[in-house]
Amino acid sequence: MIILQISYNWLKKYLELNFTPQDLAEKMTMAGLEVEGVEYLGEGLEDIIIAKIERIDPHPDADKLVICQVRTSAEQDLFPVVTGAPNVKAGQMVPLAKVGASLPGGIQIEEVKLRGELSQGMLCSADELGLQEDRAAGIMILSEDAPLGGSFLRYKNLDDYIFKLDLTPNYARCLGMIGVARELKSLYAPEKELVKPEISFTESNSEEEISKQVKITIQDPDLCPRYTARLVKNLEIKDSPDWLQRRLRAAGIRPINNVVDISNFVLMEYNQPLHTFDFDKIESGQVIVRRADQAEKMQTLDDQERQLTDDMLVIADPEKAIAVAGVMGGLNSEVTAETTNVLIESAYFNPISIRKTAKKLGMHSDASHRFERGIDIEKVIEANNRACQLLEKYAGGEVVPGVIDQYPIHFEAPVIELRTARVNQLLGIELKSEEIAAGLTRLGFTVETKQNDFLVTVPSYRTDVSQAADLVEEVARIYGYNKIPSTRPVATQRGRRSPQQKFELRVKQLLQSAGLDQVITYSLQDKKDYQKLALLQNQEYKDFVSIKNPLSEAFAILRTTLFPGLLNVLSSNSRRQIEEMAIFETGTVFLNQGQNKRPVELHKLGAAVFGNKHNYWQQGAPNFYKLKGILEMLFNRTALKEVEFIPAADEEQKFMHPGRKAEIKSGTTTLGYLGEIHPELAAENDLPVGTAVFEIDLDLLFKLTKAEKYHYQKLVKYPVLARDLAIVIAADLPIGKIYQAIKSQGGKMLKNLQLFDIYQGDQIKSGYKSAAFELKFQAEDRTLTDQEVNQRFNKIVEHLAAEYSAEIRGN
């Protein structure tokens, strides 16, 4: 994004303004020229005055200091100012900050003694006044005609305001000073005259016109509909005059030399990029506007070698490319201190071509910014002539007679039909035809009235207007957006969440109630993260969608899993000494289908935990079991039945701990995975060992649960009979299988089953473990007897013994 800087004083050269800078800023914003800020150039310089050094005395106690005797008026007595500046001389006019003054950097000037000598002020350098960034070699020396005692601010014409505009692409016409002035005249001062520069210069008496010295050939007129050139000879490269340098600095452009500065000045004045070639470096004086050859290379003015392609437009001579058209010139035709003859290019290039070229090469310049938004094709010669006028005056150049104007595709002004009824319908107001016509005429359109309809001819500088709706917007601007009444749209129905949105909201609330904090991470991610996390070993995760023109490599692909984002959040917090964290995220992942098809979008739920200190199961995996418990709660509260956590194969999810990961299944459907992050991966990301994560398919979970209906049941009034069951089973037998077996054998009578202990130790033989469950039995229609419960309990025990060789502990 380029912020355009507009000087208040410079703007007044083209249009008489009766607004204060603050009022003008508001009016420009209301006109669509959004003002991001207003800067006063003279900030901190109000107290700086012009003084004269009358005499210089040596400092008695410091070799590097001198005492300048200065005055600020002819009647005033001399007063001392001590300085160490090496460039002071008697008779010089200098900027002085007197006692009590404040400098731009906030320094307060006081009466002080320096090595015992009184100093009643400060002689200022350019950097101390905020006029340059680099440290100055000495104080600032003013010209002899500087007014003694006068305001330094006014003498240097720094009493100016800078408007910083953030213009949208449809305001391309306002990227130059004349364009801004024309816009303000149309909207706020139609009675005032737009003062454009009077262009006049003397063409040299050379017998040879430019057409005998320069030949222009356009090979691709679709990319370059118009190319003009003028030749200026025998000019002198030197510094630009102060007023020109001041104008450029106000626009945020660093002055270089008179030739380059004049090109930039015309750019800012006319919104017409110019390029100045050293004519003696152009072979045979021939300029060819052509497409680059495939794999052609050239070195641009920023000293970078550019790889070109055949869809890019270049300016070339018979031997080489000398510029990337509309973007940047070549180093091989650069204007240097030895340059005496220059060829000035003023052209119109295809906006789409320039935008693509600048983007591919990563070269967004002031010129490309304007060309890609569209300039006024009819003013290219006028801007070229303006440059010739200034080169003649400030570089001593001799303008060769004639101008070359290659114009293969002439501009045809668009004519748009507009109806009064349509204008009022879109704006919601009642305007008369005469009002609409008058408003469009003020904005520079040519209007032919036919009853209540119009034929509107669009001027060449309005590249943003192509249809009737654009003209309606112009009518709204001239009428005043603030005058159009506000209305609310009438809706026939109320918005509401879909069943799936309600389900997702419930899932979020359940996870938050379990102590997890919601996070939101970027869908655009870095491919390198997937390589570092060993995610590319899973086919599902490496089918990612690549972004053609990413902002950076960190945003080059669309994510295929939530895992990298969750890991980054945990890692950044762990590095900041956060000891415990539990987070979750719901978001979309994208899987590439290839063959230019739209990617598959899946809605996922992921969560991650580290630092949980409650190792209830004493298995050394507290984070794993915390997430497992949260998932069980989630499945229970969403009425998902028959969920199993099955140990995952080692070849699955290489980023997980090989012995502490599980697939989450409902019947034959895999919902996702749960496990600890691989210890090596945890260490690389500064995470504690045992950090756990899960990811499940939220869309699939919704489908599996949406058929379930919630039924409220009355509280059962009959008592519960509880039994504890402690069994010894093989150490490698999953508890989940035992849990499911007990539930299946318990039938409707078994209302609740809870695992409360797992034990391996001295009292259990090697290779086995003890698991203890609490079973609660209850009937809805009667009081159960001990005999009924014992029969069911014994059936469970017999089944466990037969299927899993389980032994009742203590038997």
Side-chain angles (χ1 to χ4, degrees), residues 228-247:
T228 72
R230 295 211 67 142
L231 184 60
V232 181
K233 290 190 171 184
N234 301 321
L235 50 74
E236 179 186 358
I237 304 292
K238 57 185 179 181
D239 288 340
S240 299
D242 285 345
W243 72 265
L244 181 54
Q245 293 191 41
R246 188 168 62 251
R247 291 276 190 263

Side-chain angles (χ1 to χ4, degrees), residues 30-33 171 173 183 187 443 462 472-481:
M30 291 303 297
L33 310 175
Y171 280 90
R173 64 191 181 279
E183 195 76 7
L187 294 171
L443 289 170
R462 291 306 304 266
V472 174
E473 182 181 350
E474 295 303 301
V475 173
R477 285 201 314 128
I478 202 76
Y479 178 75
Y481 292 122

Side-chain angles (χ1 to χ4, degrees), residues 294-352:
Q294 190 65 33
E296 185 175 3
K297 296 180 180 180
M298 72 167 293
Q299 205 164 9
T300 47
L301 287 172
D302 56 2
D303 206 18
Q304 299 290 317
E305 186 176 70
R306 305 291 179 176
Q307 180 76 53
L308 308 178
T309 58
D310 58 8
D311 59 346
M312 298 178 182
L313 192 69
V314 296
I315 311 301
D317 63 19
E319 293 185 350
K320 60 190 178 296
I322 56 176
V324 180
V327 180
M328 189 176 290
L331 201 62
N332 54 16
S333 59
E334 178 187 19
V335 172
T336 65
E338 290 74 35
T339 299
T340 56
N341 305 317
V342 297
L343 184 72
I344 307 171
E345 166 196 283
S346 180
Y348 179 95
F349 300 113
N350 182 286
I352 296 175

Side-chain angles (χ1 to χ4, degrees), residues 493-562:
Q493 62 181 20
R494 295 177 58 188
R496 63 187 67 184
R497 290 188 177 95
S498 67
Q500 188 161 355
Q501 289 173 328
K502 292 178 181 178
F503 176 77
E504 182 180 345
L505 180 60
R506 176 169 170 75
V507 168
K508 290 179 181 180
Q509 291 171 341
L510 289 171
L511 294 178
Q512 288 169 339
S513 69
L516 273 63
D517 295 317
Q518 184 179 4
V519 298
I520 300 174
T521 63
Y522 290 115
S523 296
L524 293 171
Q525 296 181 342
D526 192 339
K527 183 178 178 180
K528 292 180 181 178
D529 288 343
Y530 281 66
Q531 295 170 338
K532 292 177 183 177
L533 300 177
L535 293 171
L536 298 184
Q537 298 181 32
N538 289 64
Q539 182 63 38
E540 179 185 3
Y541 297 147
K542 69 180 181 181
D543 288 339
F544 41 70
V545 179
S546 298
I547 305 301
K548 285 186 176 180
N549 296 301
L551 294 174
S552 71
E553 287 302 315
F555 303 100
I557 62 170
L558 285 170
R559 65 185 176 191
T560 54
T561 170
L562 302 178

Side-chain angles (χ1 to χ4, degrees), residues 112-132:
V112 295
K113 284 192 174 183
L114 298 175
R115 294 288 186 94
E117 294 297 321
L118 183 66
S119 180
Q120 295 180 313
M122 176 179 170
L123 305 183
C124 303
S125 62
D127 61 298
E128 289 165 338
L129 297 175
L131 301 180
Q132 70 178 49

Side-chain angles (χ1 to χ4, degrees), residues 412-433:
E412 294 183 7
V415 178
I416 302 172
E417 185 176 349
L418 184 66
R419 294 183 294 110
T420 301
R422 182 59 172 163
V423 173
N424 289 328
Q425 179 190 15
L426 289 177
L427 297 183
I429 53 180
E430 291 296 329
L431 289 176
K432 296 179 180 179
S433 299

